[in-house]
Amino acid sequence: MRFTSFSALFLSLVTLATCQDTNLTDVRTAFEDANIPDNTTLTFQPSVLFEVSFPQTSGDAVPVSAGVQLARNVTASPPTFSVLNTTIVSPEQPLVIAMVDLDPPTPQNTSLAQIRHFLGGNYFASDTGELTNTTAAISEFLQPSPPNGSEPHRYVFLLFQQSRKFFNQTLVNSTTSIANFNISQFADELNLGQPIGGTFILVGPDADTNTTTTNTTTTD
Ligand SMILES: *[C@@H]1O[C@H](CO)[C@@H](O)[C@H](O)[C@H]1NC(C)=O
Ligand SMILES: *[C@@H]1O[C@H](CO)[C@@H](O)[C@H](O)[C@H]1NC(C)=O
Ligand SMILES: *[C@@H]1O[C@H](CO)[C@@H](O)[C@H](O)[C@H]1NC(C)=O
Ligand SMILES: *[C@@H]1O[C@H](CO)[C@@H](O)[C@H](O)[C@H]1NC(C)=O
Ligand SMILES: *[C@@H]1O[C@H](CO)[C@@H](O)[C@H](O)[C@H]1NC(C)=O
Ligand SMILES: *[C@@H]1O[C@H](CO)[C@@H](O)[C@H](O)[C@H]1NC(C)=O
Ligand SMILES: *[C@@H]1O[C@H](CO)[C@@H](O)[C@H](O)[C@H]1NC(C)=O
Ligand SMILES: *[C@@H]1O[C@H](CO)[C@@H](O)[C@H](O)[C@H]1NC(C)=O
Ligand SMILES: *[C@@H]1O[C@H](CO)[C@@H](O)[C@H](O)[C@H]1NC(C)=O
Ligand SMILES: *[C@@H]1O[C@H](CO)[C@@H](O)[C@H](O)[C@H]1NC(C)=O
Ligand SMILES: *[C@@H]1O[C@H](CO)[C@@H](O)[C@H](O)[C@H]1NC(C)=O
Ligand SMILES: *[C@@H]1O[C@H](CO)[C@@H](O)[C@H](O)[C@H]1NC(C)=O
């Protein structure tokens, strides 16, 4: 008995320490519970586990599990990407990765949605599942920065199979406004199809700034 409960505790500690997604059904459920398919007008039926991880200046990188809330300072560096089940993704298949904020400026007023936080193509899976790009990103990574007083925002990472049309796309470049982006429209126009994987995080304003916020700013 005592041995069993010790094992269970040890297991749950290990799970916390390596908190990445391991179950596609759970990822899909987390997306649905957070209304992400509705709010993005995407169909989310993932076939691969898409792993996102934030490198830290000291210590281990912080892996993402769908729907986890991260402190803003943990998300400062551009994340790294991988896929768990490489048998589905051929090493010759180029991939597109997008990260969008669904809740700007606040979840109650999404007049700026979506904000494009990252968009890059020509990612290829190595045999260990790491995704490496062969060209620079179209939109470089921007750290989540929800305004003071906001509830946490949903930042969604999506993995698409790259189309031929994407290769010469002119819809988005480094000077295109990051606000009022529509990943569903972008995917439609470039024949990317629906995402084959995804995950998401919640990030609120810095805790020390949020505690001093008055009630008046939380109404928008
Ligand atoms: C994934 O989780 C669901 C319940 O959330 C469970 O029914 C299913 O068996 C799990 N699948 C795998 C491959 O572990
Ligand atoms: C997100 O989806 C939910 C459920 O359909 C809906 O109630 C909510 O208004 C949507 N939010 C936005 C910003 O579209
Ligand atoms: C993030 O900020 C919190 C609160 O100020 C602090 O405890 C933590 O060490 C910081 N983490 C990093 C990675 O800077
Ligand atoms: C990887 O995908 C293959 C083909 O769909 C499947 O048979 C296998 O169980 C998957 N492995 C894992 C670890 O999910
Ligand atoms: C991969 O993307 C990063 C971020 O845009 C960029 O700095 C790097 O040069 C790219 N790699 C190649 C080989 O283009
Ligand atoms: C992209 O455009 C170049 C120059 O117009 C063309 O040579 C190339 O075939 C195009 N690539 C694709 C994949 O359509
Ligand atoms: C960048 O895209 C915008 C449209 O978003 C377009 O007006 C502009 O000409 C493009 N710039 C370059 C250098 O291609
Ligand atoms: C985004 O584009 C899709 C078409 O792919 C459209 O159905 C949807 O209404 C658009 N969303 C917004 C907020 O414009
Ligand atoms: C910030 O404060 C608001 C109002 O008290 C609260 O709803 C929200 O969850 C807080 N955000 C964070 C990241 O703590
Ligand atoms: C957020 O609130 C803190 C404390 O009131 C303030 O110091 C900071 O400048 C504010 N940040 C922004 C972006 O308004
Ligand atoms: C914010 O508003 C809520 C509900 O109106 C109230 O209960 C709470 O005391 C207010 N907080 C502050 C700091 O004014
Ligand atoms: C929603 O946010 C926008 C951008 O910050 C702002 O201009 C607008 O006044 C807000 N609308 C409401 C109803 O608060």
Side-chain angles (χ1 to χ4, degrees):
M1 268 305 255
R2 286 168 73 188
F3 182 75
T4 308
S5 54
F6 175 79
S7 303
L9 175 65
F10 180 71
L11 231 168
S12 68
L13 287 175
V14 169
T15 310
L16 274 179
T18 58
C19 188
Q20 61 175 18
D21 291 315
T22 53
N23 183 315
L24 282 175
T25 310
D26 291 349
V27 175
R28 194 175 159 189
T29 304
F31 268 62
E32 278 160 12
D33 289 349
N35 292 323
I36 294 168
D38 275 351
N39 293 167
T40 55
T41 57
L42 288 168
T43 302
F44 188 64
Q45 288 173 344
S47 53
V48 293
L49 285 161
F50 178 40
E51 309 289 355
V52 174
S53 196
F54 283 96
Q56 303 299 307
T57 45
S58 64
D60 292 342
V62 173
V64 166
S65 64
V68 69
Q69 182 162 352
L70 297 181
R72 205 179 78 85
N73 58 0
V74 167
T75 64
S77 301
T80 58
F81 307 108
S82 58
V83 288
L84 211 64
N85 196 338
T86 51
T87 60
I88 294 174
V89 179
S90 138
E92 285 85 39
Q93 171 62 55
L95 301 162
V96 174
I97 296 172
M99 172 188 179
V100 292
D101 175 4
L102 305 188
D103 299 309
T106 66
Q108 290 75 28
N109 170 11
T110 55
S111 61
L112 302 177
Q114 300 154 5
I115 287 183
R116 195 171 63 250
H117 277 257
F118 181 78
L119 182 61
N122 294 308
Y123 277 85
F124 293 88
S126 72
D127 46 10
T128 58
E130 285 163 73
L131 299 180
T132 334
N133 55 312
T134 57
T135 58
I138 297 170
S139 258
E140 295 290 354
F141 173 73
L142 289 173
Q143 182 182 9
S145 297
N148 278 351
S150 176
E151 285 174 24
H153 291 199
R154 295 165 296 167
Y155 296 87
V156 182
F157 298 88
L158 296 165
L159 180 68
F160 295 91
Q161 288 183 308
Q162 189 169 312
S163 61
R164 290 190 65 79
K165 210 171 172 186
F166 177 89
F167 197 81
N168 285 333
Q169 72 84 26
T170 54
L171 295 175
V172 175
N173 59 47
S174 58
T175 67
T176 313
S177 169
I178 57 169
N180 297 125
F181 181 60
N182 183 338
I183 186 60
S184 166
Q185 185 181 17
F186 182 83
D188 274 358
E189 290 188 20
L190 297 177
N191 302 336
L192 298 181
Q194 297 295 332
I196 60 166
T199 190
F200 69 102
I201 56 176
L202 303 175
V203 181
D206 288 333
D208 52 342
T209 65
N210 198 34
T211 51
T212 56
T213 305
T214 62
N215 266 355
T216 50
T217 52
T218 60
T219 51
D220 66 342

